[in-house]
Amino acid sequence: MMTDIEIADQAEMKPIKEIAAQIGLGEDDIEQYGKYKAKISLPVKAHPDKKHKLVLVTSINPTPAGEGKSTVLVGLGDALNQLGHQTIIAMREPSMGPVFGIKGGATGGGYSQVVPMEDINLHFTGDLHALTSANNTLAALIDNYIMRGNELGLDPRRIIWKRVEDVNDRALRNVVTGLGGLMQGVPRQTGFDITAASELMAILCLSTDLMDLKKRVGQIVVGYSYDKQPVTVGELGFADAITILLKDAIKPNLVQTLDHTPTIIHGGPFANIAHGCNSVLATQTALQLADYTVTESGFGADLGAEKFMDIKRRVLGKNPDAVVIVATVRALEYNGGAALADLKDENLPELKKGLANLNRHIKNMQRYGVPLVVAINHFATDTPAEIKMIEDNCKALGVNVVTADAWAKGGAGTQDLAQEVVRLADQDSDFHELYSLDASPADKVRIVATKIYGAKDVEFSRKAQRQLKQFAELGWDKLPVCIAKTQYSFTDDQTQLGAPTDFTFHIREFVPKLGAGFIVALSGNMMTMPGLSKVPAAVNMTIDKDGKITGLF
Ligand code: ADP
């Protein structure tokens, strides 16, 4: 059986200008990065005759290897086009942290992949580097400001702006900068986050154009003064400089699937420690140019989809017309207590137990009032009895369920799902918001935790309670909340799989992200800089004298 990278290597890609032409973009509408990648020049003119349907692909709680959400997304895009429904895929760009860590890339798998996969998973068009540079330029400007007079009285102990890098690097979670004497800066304790969790990444993903991005950069709170007043980038006078560094990164990237479906890949916040959705500009561009836009949000529907509905959707101004929940036999069995090593075997008792996880995600998505279908991402090891058990469970709930063979057969294996999605997207939906922006941040967290996660109650640390009071005084309480939580569990404890009930959810701290336009709530011991595992993916990679890579996936 060929690996993802071997299949991708054999792809016969079309020149990117042909892919652009397929969606009505001429050579002046794109900026080519080599032969197979391009950035789309903004603004894009909407095609009024299109259907502008939006389909969101999400999943159950995953195993550490992922559940094939991107694979099903890509297969679905291909299948829709094969059936004559003009479709563009919109997805996130991978971070090199997980690529060299455990999870692998984000370009799908098997015969449902986006190419050129090596480029996309490595440096791509440089967006993550631009974000990293912009973020760290701001950090250097702040430190310089403190050293050179500090007119606004920024308190070095209260700076919340951290440096970032696109690497899983636990050794940099906590650092002291400015050591070495008078001319080396003012010493202070700080730390690094991964770029995917940075506020600039969220801003890039939520901005509607370059001037909106600049406005949001100006609103970033970098820290507090000695008299505890927030200090913003705008007050410091750095907003234009930081925006300049992002002027190209804000443009969405165009690539193609193995089957030449146009795919816009742009922005890559993680869904556990950030808001987990590709950029608004990517989704909006696709919506303007296509009958069907299929997009994804990261990890399970408790994280990515909730944040899509409660954060991104508000900026996008468009509700999904249909939702696909991807489930696998493997992940359901894992959620039902099966060991990772046993997931290739038939485990019906664990599967039965693990279905509670799927059922909670179904109920949660139904709460938003959007038509939904469950897609079983088919693995070669699945048995007919396992598939039947999932189908019977969904039928008993009155929920449609389709098996998708996107990995082994590409779009040809995903056509049943595509047909169901078209049917659903044509139905009337009655979207309900989970919470109103008028609710307090504490209530917003309570609503998500009790209604989506199934918690009994929420406990806020003393620090978090103090912050809630302060945020209300500062008028920051009308923003949505972005909860940082483990992707493996509905709770804040990653070992609690399935669908736990009767638990207390813990918030230890809030981080205001006024530029992004949300308040981050850190739950449990969630870190915004991941670490590497005992045997990182990097260990199994090779490159030869011709530059041929193996082991990337
Ligand atoms: P997610 O988007 O849920 O994180 P991905 O689509 O990135 O998951 O898939 C994760 C990995 O699992 C990829 O390496 C992919 O090739 C593999 N994979 C996905 N679906 C299947 C399948 N049905 N059979 C075999 N491998 C699969």
Side-chain angles (χ1 to χ4, degrees), residues 92-107 120-124 128-129 132 165-168 194-197 201 265 267-270 273 529-530 553:
R92 290 174 301 155
E93 34 192 323
S95 152
M96 288 194 288
V99 168
F100 288 82
I102 59 162
K103 204 201 132 278
T107 47
I120 299 168
N121 280 307
L122 296 175
H123 307 282
F124 200 21
L128 270 88
H129 298 305
T132 303
E165 57 171 357
D166 188 28
V167 181
N168 286 9
I194 191 158
T195 305
M201 173 62 93
I265 299 197
F270 296 159
I273 52 181
M529 168 57 93
F553 305 103

mmCIF file of all heavy atoms in Angstrom, residues 92-107 120-124 128-129 132 165-168 194-197 201 265 267-270 273 529-530 553:
data_model
loop_
_atom_site.group_PDB
_atom_site.id
_atom_site.type_symbol
_atom_site.label_atom_id
_atom_site.label_comp_id
_atom_site.label_asym_id
_atom_site.label_seq_id
_atom_site.Cartn_x
_atom_site.Cartn_y
_atom_site.Cartn_z
ATOM 1 N N ARG A 92 -7.365 24.821 6.289
ATOM 2 C CA ARG A 92 -6.279 25.510 7.020
ATOM 3 C C ARG A 92 -4.916 25.112 6.490
ATOM 4 O O ARG A 92 -4.744 24.043 5.927
ATOM 5 C CB ARG A 92 -6.356 25.148 8.509
ATOM 6 C CG ARG A 92 -7.551 25.759 9.190
ATOM 7 C CD ARG A 92 -7.678 25.273 10.595
ATOM 8 N NE ARG A 92 -7.813 23.827 10.621
ATOM 9 C CZ ARG A 92 -7.483 23.065 11.640
ATOM 10 N NH1 ARG A 92 -6.992 23.587 12.730
ATOM 11 N NH2 ARG A 92 -7.650 21.765 11.580
ATOM 12 N N GLU A 93 -3.947 25.982 6.720
ATOM 13 C CA GLU A 93 -2.585 25.603 6.344
ATOM 14 C C GLU A 93 -1.899 24.926 7.524
ATOM 15 O O GLU A 93 -2.108 25.293 8.675
ATOM 16 C CB GLU A 93 -1.745 26.753 5.794
ATOM 17 C CG GLU A 93 -1.952 28.112 6.334
ATOM 18 C CD GLU A 93 -1.252 29.185 5.474
ATOM 19 O OE1 GLU A 93 -0.159 28.934 4.965
ATOM 20 O OE2 GLU A 93 -1.821 30.274 5.354
ATOM 21 N N PRO A 94 -1.115 23.878 7.227
ATOM 22 C CA PRO A 94 -0.477 23.117 8.305
ATOM 23 C C PRO A 94 0.583 23.927 9.038
ATOM 24 O O PRO A 94 1.192 24.829 8.482
ATOM 25 C CB PRO A 94 0.195 21.957 7.574
ATOM 26 C CG PRO A 94 -0.379 21.936 6.202
ATOM 27 C CD PRO A 94 -0.836 23.319 5.899
ATOM 28 N N SER A 95 0.776 23.557 10.291
ATOM 29 C CA SER A 95 1.874 24.098 11.090
ATOM 30 C C SER A 95 2.971 23.043 11.102
ATOM 31 O O SER A 95 2.701 21.847 11.156
ATOM 32 C CB SER A 95 1.368 24.337 12.511
ATOM 33 O OG SER A 95 2.426 24.244 13.438
ATOM 34 N N MET A 96 4.220 23.492 11.068
ATOM 35 C CA MET A 96 5.311 22.517 11.071
ATOM 36 C C MET A 96 5.510 21.880 12.450
ATOM 37 O O MET A 96 6.207 20.877 12.568
ATOM 38 C CB MET A 96 6.597 23.162 10.566
ATOM 39 C CG MET A 96 6.516 23.409 9.060
ATOM 40 S SD MET A 96 8.097 23.775 8.315
ATOM 41 C CE MET A 96 8.398 25.404 8.940
ATOM 42 N N GLY A 97 4.874 22.448 13.472
ATOM 43 C CA GLY A 97 4.959 21.810 14.798
ATOM 44 C C GLY A 97 4.451 20.377 14.738
ATOM 45 O O GLY A 97 5.207 19.421 14.926
ATOM 46 N N PRO A 98 3.165 20.176 14.418
ATOM 47 C CA PRO A 98 2.640 18.806 14.316
ATOM 48 C C PRO A 98 3.264 17.992 13.182
ATOM 49 O O PRO A 98 3.393 16.773 13.303
ATOM 50 C CB PRO A 98 1.153 19.012 14.053
ATOM 51 C CG PRO A 98 0.854 20.399 14.428
ATOM 52 C CD PRO A 98 2.122 21.188 14.351
ATOM 53 N N VAL A 99 3.655 18.632 12.071
ATOM 54 C CA VAL A 99 4.245 17.871 10.960
ATOM 55 C C VAL A 99 5.485 17.114 11.453
ATOM 56 O O VAL A 99 5.666 15.937 11.154
ATOM 57 C CB VAL A 99 4.618 18.812 9.784
ATOM 58 C CG1 VAL A 99 5.486 18.078 8.760
ATOM 59 C CG2 VAL A 99 3.360 19.331 9.092
ATOM 60 N N PHE A 100 6.307 17.771 12.273
ATOM 61 C CA PHE A 100 7.510 17.111 12.790
ATOM 62 C C PHE A 100 7.254 16.455 14.151
ATOM 63 O O PHE A 100 8.127 15.829 14.726
ATOM 64 C CB PHE A 100 8.666 18.117 12.873
ATOM 65 C CG PHE A 100 9.184 18.472 11.499
ATOM 66 C CD1 PHE A 100 8.549 19.430 10.726
ATOM 67 C CD2 PHE A 100 10.259 17.792 10.955
ATOM 68 C CE1 PHE A 100 8.984 19.728 9.437
ATOM 69 C CE2 PHE A 100 10.711 18.079 9.674
ATOM 70 C CZ PHE A 100 10.068 19.047 8.912
ATOM 71 N N GLY A 101 6.046 16.651 14.665
ATOM 72 C CA GLY A 101 5.688 16.077 15.967
ATOM 73 C C GLY A 101 4.947 14.770 15.793
ATOM 74 O O GLY A 101 5.523 13.790 15.336
ATOM 75 N N ILE A 102 3.630 14.744 16.072
ATOM 76 C CA ILE A 102 2.948 13.459 15.977
ATOM 77 C C ILE A 102 1.878 13.369 14.917
ATOM 78 O O ILE A 102 1.643 12.313 14.362
ATOM 79 C CB ILE A 102 2.291 13.011 17.308
ATOM 80 C CG1 ILE A 102 1.276 14.031 17.778
ATOM 81 C CG2 ILE A 102 3.322 12.688 18.342
ATOM 82 C CD1 ILE A 102 0.332 13.423 18.796
ATOM 83 N N LYS A 103 1.189 14.450 14.642
ATOM 84 C CA LYS A 103 -0.071 14.249 13.927
ATOM 85 C C LYS A 103 0.048 14.148 12.418
ATOM 86 O O LYS A 103 -0.829 13.625 11.745
ATOM 87 C CB LYS A 103 -1.055 15.351 14.291
ATOM 88 C CG LYS A 103 -2.484 14.924 14.080
ATOM 89 C CD LYS A 103 -3.394 16.089 13.952
ATOM 90 C CE LYS A 103 -4.314 15.971 12.794
ATOM 91 N NZ LYS A 103 -3.868 16.319 11.507
ATOM 92 N N GLY A 104 1.124 14.658 11.878
ATOM 93 C CA GLY A 104 1.193 14.680 10.426
ATOM 94 C C GLY A 104 0.602 15.963 9.902
ATOM 95 O O GLY A 104 0.291 16.872 10.678
ATOM 96 N N GLY A 105 0.435 16.034 8.593
ATOM 97 C CA GLY A 105 0.044 17.299 7.973
ATOM 98 C C GLY A 105 -1.440 17.502 7.945
ATOM 99 O O GLY A 105 -2.186 16.865 8.683
ATOM 100 N N ALA A 106 -1.871 18.383 7.084
ATOM 101 C CA ALA A 106 -3.293 18.711 7.047
ATOM 102 C C ALA A 106 -3.748 18.771 5.604
ATOM 103 O O ALA A 106 -4.571 19.589 5.249
ATOM 104 C CB ALA A 106 -3.523 20.029 7.756
ATOM 105 N N THR A 107 -3.193 17.910 4.763
ATOM 106 C CA THR A 107 -3.542 17.969 3.342
ATOM 107 C C THR A 107 -4.336 16.743 2.916
ATOM 108 O O THR A 107 -4.366 16.386 1.744
ATOM 109 C CB THR A 107 -2.262 18.090 2.490
ATOM 110 O OG1 THR A 107 -1.306 17.125 2.958
ATOM 111 C CG2 THR A 107 -1.649 19.465 2.585
ATOM 112 N N ILE A 120 3.083 22.334 0.767
ATOM 113 C CA ILE A 120 2.041 22.864 1.648
ATOM 114 C C ILE A 120 2.390 22.549 3.103
ATOM 115 O O ILE A 120 2.221 23.389 3.988
ATOM 116 C CB ILE A 120 0.652 22.283 1.282
ATOM 117 C CG1 ILE A 120 0.281 22.666 -0.145
ATOM 118 C CG2 ILE A 120 -0.422 22.779 2.249
ATOM 119 C CD1 ILE A 120 -0.927 21.914 -0.706
ATOM 120 N N ASN A 121 2.902 21.334 3.346
ATOM 121 C CA ASN A 121 3.195 20.941 4.727
ATOM 122 C C ASN A 121 4.503 21.530 5.254
ATOM 123 O O ASN A 121 4.750 21.489 6.452
ATOM 124 C CB ASN A 121 3.243 19.421 4.837
ATOM 125 C CG ASN A 121 1.847 18.825 4.915
ATOM 126 O OD1 ASN A 121 1.052 19.228 5.756
ATOM 127 N ND2 ASN A 121 1.532 17.911 4.026
ATOM 128 N N LEU A 122 5.341 22.031 4.368
ATOM 129 C CA LEU A 122 6.599 22.611 4.860
ATOM 130 C C LEU A 122 6.453 24.145 4.861
ATOM 131 O O LEU A 122 5.667 24.658 5.619
ATOM 132 C CB LEU A 122 7.772 22.077 4.043
ATOM 133 C CG LEU A 122 7.930 20.537 4.218
ATOM 134 C CD1 LEU A 122 9.016 19.988 3.320
ATOM 135 C CD2 LEU A 122 8.221 20.159 5.668
ATOM 136 N N HIS A 123 7.129 24.844 4.001
ATOM 137 C CA HIS A 123 7.102 26.317 4.139
ATOM 138 C C HIS A 123 5.996 26.995 3.336
ATOM 139 O O HIS A 123 5.726 28.169 3.529
ATOM 140 C CB HIS A 123 8.465 26.885 3.757
ATOM 141 C CG HIS A 123 9.591 26.244 4.494
ATOM 142 N ND1 HIS A 123 9.892 26.562 5.801
ATOM 143 C CD2 HIS A 123 10.469 25.262 4.145
ATOM 144 C CE1 HIS A 123 10.916 25.823 6.210
ATOM 145 N NE2 HIS A 123 11.273 25.019 5.238
ATOM 146 N N PHE A 124 5.377 26.283 2.405
ATOM 147 C CA PHE A 124 4.251 26.754 1.584
ATOM 148 C C PHE A 124 4.548 28.129 0.987
ATOM 149 O O PHE A 124 5.601 28.306 0.389
ATOM 150 C CB PHE A 124 2.969 26.737 2.421
ATOM 151 C CG PHE A 124 1.685 26.739 1.626
ATOM 152 C CD1 PHE A 124 1.665 26.336 0.304
ATOM 153 C CD2 PHE A 124 0.484 27.132 2.201
ATOM 154 C CE1 PHE A 124 0.487 26.339 -0.447
ATOM 155 C CE2 PHE A 124 -0.708 27.140 1.476
ATOM 156 C CZ PHE A 124 -0.695 26.751 0.151
ATOM 157 N N LEU A 128 3.125 31.405 7.543
ATOM 158 C CA LEU A 128 3.429 31.200 8.967
ATOM 159 C C LEU A 128 4.741 31.886 9.358
ATOM 160 O O LEU A 128 4.890 32.371 10.476
ATOM 161 C CB LEU A 128 3.438 29.709 9.338
ATOM 162 C CG LEU A 128 2.028 29.274 9.766
ATOM 163 C CD1 LEU A 128 1.201 28.844 8.596
ATOM 164 C CD2 LEU A 128 2.059 28.201 10.828
ATOM 165 N N HIS A 129 5.665 31.960 8.412
ATOM 166 C CA HIS A 129 6.911 32.683 8.704
ATOM 167 C C HIS A 129 6.644 34.175 8.834
ATOM 168 O O HIS A 129 7.220 34.848 9.689
ATOM 169 C CB HIS A 129 7.936 32.425 7.608
ATOM 170 C CG HIS A 129 8.328 30.981 7.504
ATOM 171 N ND1 HIS A 129 8.808 30.273 8.589
ATOM 172 C CD2 HIS A 129 8.316 30.125 6.479
ATOM 173 C CE1 HIS A 129 9.055 29.028 8.207
ATOM 174 N NE2 HIS A 129 8.760 28.914 6.943
ATOM 175 N N THR A 132 5.131 34.764 12.150
ATOM 176 C CA THR A 132 6.133 34.625 13.205
ATOM 177 C C THR A 132 6.997 35.883 13.265
ATOM 178 O O THR A 132 7.241 36.437 14.349
ATOM 179 C CB THR A 132 7.003 33.370 12.932
ATOM 180 O OG1 THR A 132 6.133 32.243 12.836
ATOM 181 C CG2 THR A 132 8.023 33.128 14.022
ATOM 182 N N GLU A 165 7.013 30.799 17.688
ATOM 183 C CA GLU A 165 7.724 30.126 16.599
ATOM 184 C C GLU A 165 6.859 28.940 16.159
ATOM 185 O O GLU A 165 6.016 28.469 16.915
ATOM 186 C CB GLU A 165 9.122 29.668 17.030
ATOM 187 C CG GLU A 165 9.102 28.748 18.226
ATOM 188 C CD GLU A 165 10.453 28.131 18.524
ATOM 189 O OE1 GLU A 165 11.408 28.363 17.783
ATOM 190 O OE2 GLU A 165 10.529 27.388 19.513
ATOM 191 N N ASP A 166 7.116 28.480 14.908
ATOM 192 C CA ASP A 166 6.285 27.406 14.354
ATOM 193 C C ASP A 166 6.954 26.055 14.616
ATOM 194 O O ASP A 166 7.221 25.289 13.690
ATOM 195 C CB ASP A 166 6.079 27.653 12.852
ATOM 196 C CG ASP A 166 5.060 26.690 12.253
ATOM 197 O OD1 ASP A 166 4.171 26.242 12.999
ATOM 198 O OD2 ASP A 166 5.165 26.375 11.052
ATOM 199 N N VAL A 167 7.232 25.792 15.876
ATOM 200 C CA VAL A 167 7.946 24.577 16.283
ATOM 201 C C VAL A 167 7.333 24.129 17.608
ATOM 202 O O VAL A 167 6.969 24.969 18.426
ATOM 203 C CB VAL A 167 9.457 24.887 16.522
ATOM 204 C CG1 VAL A 167 10.216 23.632 16.915
ATOM 205 C CG2 VAL A 167 10.100 25.539 15.310
ATOM 206 N N ASN A 168 7.212 22.808 17.798
ATOM 207 C CA ASN A 168 6.805 22.302 19.127
ATOM 208 C C ASN A 168 8.044 22.339 20.018
ATOM 209 O O ASN A 168 8.924 21.493 19.887
ATOM 210 C CB ASN A 168 6.334 20.848 19.021
ATOM 211 C CG ASN A 168 4.971 20.715 18.384
ATOM 212 O OD1 ASN A 168 4.413 21.671 17.866
ATOM 213 N ND2 ASN A 168 4.421 19.510 18.426
ATOM 214 N N ILE A 194 3.240 28.609 20.233
ATOM 215 C CA ILE A 194 3.375 28.192 18.831
ATOM 216 C C ILE A 194 2.616 29.217 17.966
ATOM 217 O O ILE A 194 1.581 29.762 18.398
ATOM 218 C CB ILE A 194 2.868 26.743 18.609
ATOM 219 C CG1 ILE A 194 3.274 26.259 17.219
ATOM 220 C CG2 ILE A 194 1.366 26.615 18.826
ATOM 221 C CD1 ILE A 194 3.326 24.747 17.075
ATOM 222 N N THR A 195 3.135 29.487 16.773
ATOM 223 C CA THR A 195 2.553 30.529 15.914
ATOM 224 C C THR A 195 1.053 30.308 15.701
ATOM 225 O O THR A 195 0.273 31.257 15.659
ATOM 226 C CB THR A 195 3.300 30.558 14.559
ATOM 227 O OG1 THR A 195 4.690 30.732 14.841
ATOM 228 C CG2 THR A 195 2.807 31.664 13.668
ATOM 229 N N ALA A 196 0.661 29.037 15.586
ATOM 230 C CA ALA A 196 -0.758 28.722 15.340
ATOM 231 C C ALA A 196 -1.674 29.199 16.469
ATOM 232 O O ALA A 196 -2.882 29.337 16.270
ATOM 233 C CB ALA A 196 -0.927 27.222 15.139
ATOM 234 N N ALA A 197 -1.105 29.448 17.652
ATOM 235 C CA ALA A 197 -1.927 29.914 18.773
ATOM 236 C C ALA A 197 -1.838 31.421 18.953
ATOM 237 O O ALA A 197 -2.431 31.975 19.880
ATOM 238 C CB ALA A 197 -1.487 29.224 20.071
ATOM 239 N N MET A 201 -2.217 35.202 14.244
ATOM 240 C CA MET A 201 -2.824 34.156 13.408
ATOM 241 C C MET A 201 -4.348 34.306 13.430
ATOM 242 O O MET A 201 -5.014 34.229 12.385
ATOM 243 C CB MET A 201 -2.408 32.763 13.903
ATOM 244 C CG MET A 201 -3.117 31.620 13.223
ATOM 245 S SD MET A 201 -2.813 31.533 11.454
ATOM 246 C CE MET A 201 -1.427 30.406 11.414
ATOM 247 N N ILE A 265 -6.211 27.351 0.635
ATOM 248 C CA ILE A 265 -5.648 26.974 1.938
ATOM 249 C C ILE A 265 -5.097 28.236 2.572
ATOM 250 O O ILE A 265 -4.180 28.855 2.034
ATOM 251 C CB ILE A 265 -4.516 25.942 1.755
ATOM 252 C CG1 ILE A 265 -5.058 24.683 1.094
ATOM 253 C CG2 ILE A 265 -3.858 25.634 3.079
ATOM 254 C CD1 ILE A 265 -4.155 23.477 1.228
ATOM 255 N N GLY A 267 -4.442 30.263 6.514
ATOM 256 C CA GLY A 267 -4.571 30.447 7.966
ATOM 257 C C GLY A 267 -4.647 29.104 8.655
ATOM 258 O O GLY A 267 -5.282 28.177 8.130
ATOM 259 N N GLY A 268 -3.989 28.979 9.804
ATOM 260 C CA GLY A 268 -3.985 27.663 10.444
ATOM 261 C C GLY A 268 -3.981 27.683 11.954
ATOM 262 O O GLY A 268 -3.092 27.116 12.580
ATOM 263 N N PRO A 269 -4.980 28.301 12.582
ATOM 264 C CA PRO A 269 -5.016 28.223 14.048
ATOM 265 C C PRO A 269 -5.449 26.828 14.501
ATOM 266 O O PRO A 269 -6.346 26.242 13.890
ATOM 267 C CB PRO A 269 -6.068 29.266 14.436
ATOM 268 C CG PRO A 269 -6.918 29.454 13.233
ATOM 269 C CD PRO A 269 -6.124 29.049 12.024
ATOM 270 N N PHE A 270 -4.823 26.280 15.539
ATOM 271 C CA PHE A 270 -5.262 24.989 16.080
ATOM 272 C C PHE A 270 -6.619 25.190 16.771
ATOM 273 O O PHE A 270 -6.905 26.257 17.289
ATOM 274 C CB PHE A 270 -4.273 24.470 17.129
ATOM 275 C CG PHE A 270 -2.898 24.172 16.604
ATOM 276 C CD1 PHE A 270 -1.813 24.115 17.463
ATOM 277 C CD2 PHE A 270 -2.678 23.923 15.260
ATOM 278 C CE1 PHE A 270 -0.535 23.841 16.994
ATOM 279 C CE2 PHE A 270 -1.417 23.639 14.776
ATOM 280 C CZ PHE A 270 -0.338 23.604 15.651
ATOM 281 N N ILE A 273 -6.073 25.100 21.091
ATOM 282 C CA ILE A 273 -5.539 26.273 21.795
ATOM 283 C C ILE A 273 -5.827 27.578 21.052
ATOM 284 O O ILE A 273 -5.335 28.626 21.432
ATOM 285 C CB ILE A 273 -4.021 26.123 22.051
ATOM 286 C CG1 ILE A 273 -3.264 25.770 20.753
ATOM 287 C CG2 ILE A 273 -3.761 25.087 23.113
ATOM 288 C CD1 ILE A 273 -1.779 25.578 20.951
ATOM 289 N N MET A 529 1.976 26.196 23.917
ATOM 290 C CA MET A 529 3.164 25.747 23.185
ATOM 291 C C MET A 529 3.249 24.236 23.371
ATOM 292 O O MET A 529 3.544 23.750 24.463
ATOM 293 C CB MET A 529 4.416 26.419 23.739
ATOM 294 C CG MET A 529 5.727 25.804 23.252
ATOM 295 S SD MET A 529 5.906 25.794 21.459
ATOM 296 C CE MET A 529 6.784 27.317 21.173
ATOM 297 N N PRO A 530 2.963 23.457 22.313
ATOM 298 C CA PRO A 530 3.029 21.993 22.467
ATOM 299 C C PRO A 530 4.470 21.512 22.645
ATOM 300 O O PRO A 530 5.419 22.253 22.361
ATOM 301 C CB PRO A 530 2.472 21.472 21.141
ATOM 302 C CG PRO A 530 1.935 22.656 20.406
ATOM 303 C CD PRO A 530 2.580 23.869 20.960
ATOM 304 N N PHE A 553 4.755 11.535 5.577
ATOM 305 C CA PHE A 553 3.495 10.917 6.024
ATOM 306 C C PHE A 553 3.385 9.502 5.518
ATOM 307 O O PHE A 553 3.750 9.253 4.416
ATOM 308 C CB PHE A 553 2.282 11.717 5.542
ATOM 309 C CG PHE A 553 2.413 13.120 5.982
ATOM 310 C CD1 PHE A 553 2.788 14.096 5.111
ATOM 311 C CD2 PHE A 553 2.273 13.431 7.314
ATOM 312 C CE1 PHE A 553 2.986 15.385 5.545
ATOM 313 C CE2 PHE A 553 2.478 14.728 7.750
ATOM 314 C CZ PHE A 553 2.832 15.702 6.863
#
